[in-house]
Amino acid sequence: MTNLISNAIGHISSLLKGLQVKRFLAVVLVGFLVLTTNINSGYSNQDLGQRVRQQVEQDDAQRPKTTGQWNREARETEGSPGERLGRIGQQSAEAFKQFGSGYVEGAKETARDVRDSAAQAGKDLSK
């Protein structure tokens, strides 16, 4: 019985030592990856903000595009809720019109791609 208990303790002890080595190696590997990876490459790109601004201002819509523009417009019409609702209605109509045109263009492009794929499939079957 004593022999069985000492064998069990020895086996558990060797398992714990193996786990500690594995943990140590995992910590070393993660530390190595963190220290050698260049995580500042995305943050140092100054051109990214300019490209985002250009993308936002790309369309010539007259509705506000940024939070600052929305807040400025809300301050301008603070005393007259009727005028504010009128502007919101106009801007919503413009947004739906722009969305609809994009949807129609996307549907046409999808239909064109399906037609081209069907034609290609027909050619492949005839071979």
Side-chain angles (χ1 to χ4, degrees):
M1 184 71 160
T2 309
N3 193 16
L4 181 67
I5 293 174
S6 73
N7 283 342
I9 291 174
H11 187 63
I12 291 172
S13 175
S14 67
L15 282 175
L16 289 176
K17 288 179 184 176
L19 287 177
Q20 288 176 353
V21 170
K22 290 178 185 176
R23 284 184 186 168
F24 177 75
L25 290 176
V27 168
V28 168
L29 180 64
V30 168
F32 177 75
L33 289 174
V34 168
L35 292 175
T36 59
T37 304
N38 185 5
I39 59 174
N40 288 329
S41 64
Y43 295 112
S44 65
N45 190 354
Q46 299 294 327
D47 190 43
L48 180 62
Q50 183 63 27
R51 285 187 285 158
V52 169
R53 274 189 221 91
Q54 287 174 350
Q55 187 68 25
V56 167
E57 298 294 332
Q58 183 177 2
D59 62 354
D60 56 349
Q62 296 301 316
R63 65 181 190 279
K65 297 173 192 77
T66 64
T67 306
Q69 291 172 346
W70 276 101
N71 290 337
R72 188 173 349 108
E73 186 175 290
R75 277 185 253 115
E76 289 173 0
T77 59
E78 189 172 356
S80 56
E83 182 182 347
R84 180 74 178 134
L85 286 175
R87 284 188 184 183
I88 289 173
Q90 290 172 349
Q91 293 163 2
S92 297
E94 186 178 337
F96 281 121
K97 184 174 91 175
Q98 184 179 8
F99 173 76
S101 68
Y103 182 76
V104 169
E105 289 176 22
K108 286 179 183 176
E109 192 172 311
T110 301
R112 188 178 329 115
D113 289 345
V114 168
R115 182 191 69 215
D116 294 344
S117 296
Q120 184 64 36
K123 288 178 185 177
D124 291 345
L125 286 175
S126 66
K127 289 183 181 179

